[in-house]
Amino acid sequence: QVQLVESGGGLVQAGGSLRLSCAASGGTFSNYAMGWIRQAPGKEREIVAAISRTGGVTTYADSVKGRFTISRDNAKNTVYLQMNSLKPEDTAVYYCAASTRQIGVLLALYDYWGQGTQVTVSS
């Protein structure tokens, strides 16, 4: 069983940047595809970015393409989400999740979830 702990959230002004980190433990990190999923108040969860087990394949939601970058360091058991040019509509709780599939392109493919970290972007 994999445990996931997110960090790096906070309050930032529009146009600013944040870097989220997710530390994994309890399993072989390189066996899992990873994803960042967000949920804004009153909205459904949305996959923001996903990365394959080796990091060779990444996918992004259209709303964040060109602004967010997902990456992973398998030696450190950590996945990152670099968020630039942040907008008020990026405000949400951001979750890290792990999938035993090659890459998690659907919410249902994620098996393990972190507790989430709040990101608030002020206008």
Side-chain angles (χ1 to χ4, degrees):
Q1 181 129 2
V2 176
Q3 290 81 45
L4 303 170
V5 179
E6 303 95 337
S7 61
L11 174 64
V12 63
Q13 289 188 331
S17 298
L18 282 175
R19 188 194 196 200
L20 305 183
S21 299
C22 173
S25 61
T28 302
F29 184 64
S30 58
N31 286 348
Y32 297 93
M34 301 298 296
W36 285 97
I37 295 96
R38 69 185 179 188
Q39 187 166 24
K43 295 188 177 181
E44 294 185 350
R45 289 189 177 185
E46 170 191 29
I47 298 174
V48 173
I51 189 166
S52 63
R53 296 172 183 177
T54 62
V57 178
T58 57
T59 65
Y60 296 92
D62 287 343
S63 57
V64 306
K65 280 181 181 176
R67 300 188 298 121
F68 290 12
T69 302
I70 188 171
S71 62
R72 65 189 296 162
D73 185 338
N74 285 350
K76 295 183 178 180
N77 293 349
T78 303
V79 62
Y80 305 97
L81 185 68
Q82 179 66 44
M83 305 186 293
N84 298 330
S85 302
L86 283 160
K87 304 175 181 180
E89 51 263 43
D90 294 319
T91 295
V93 176
Y94 283 72
Y95 298 91
C96 168
S99 171
T100 57
R101 280 66 169 187
Q102 291 295 325
I103 190 165
V105 296
L106 297 174
L107 289 173
L109 297 180
Y110 287 96
D111 305 288
Y112 304 101
W113 293 75
Q115 294 298 309
T117 185
Q118 177 71 46
V119 172
T120 303
V121 184
S122 63
S123 57

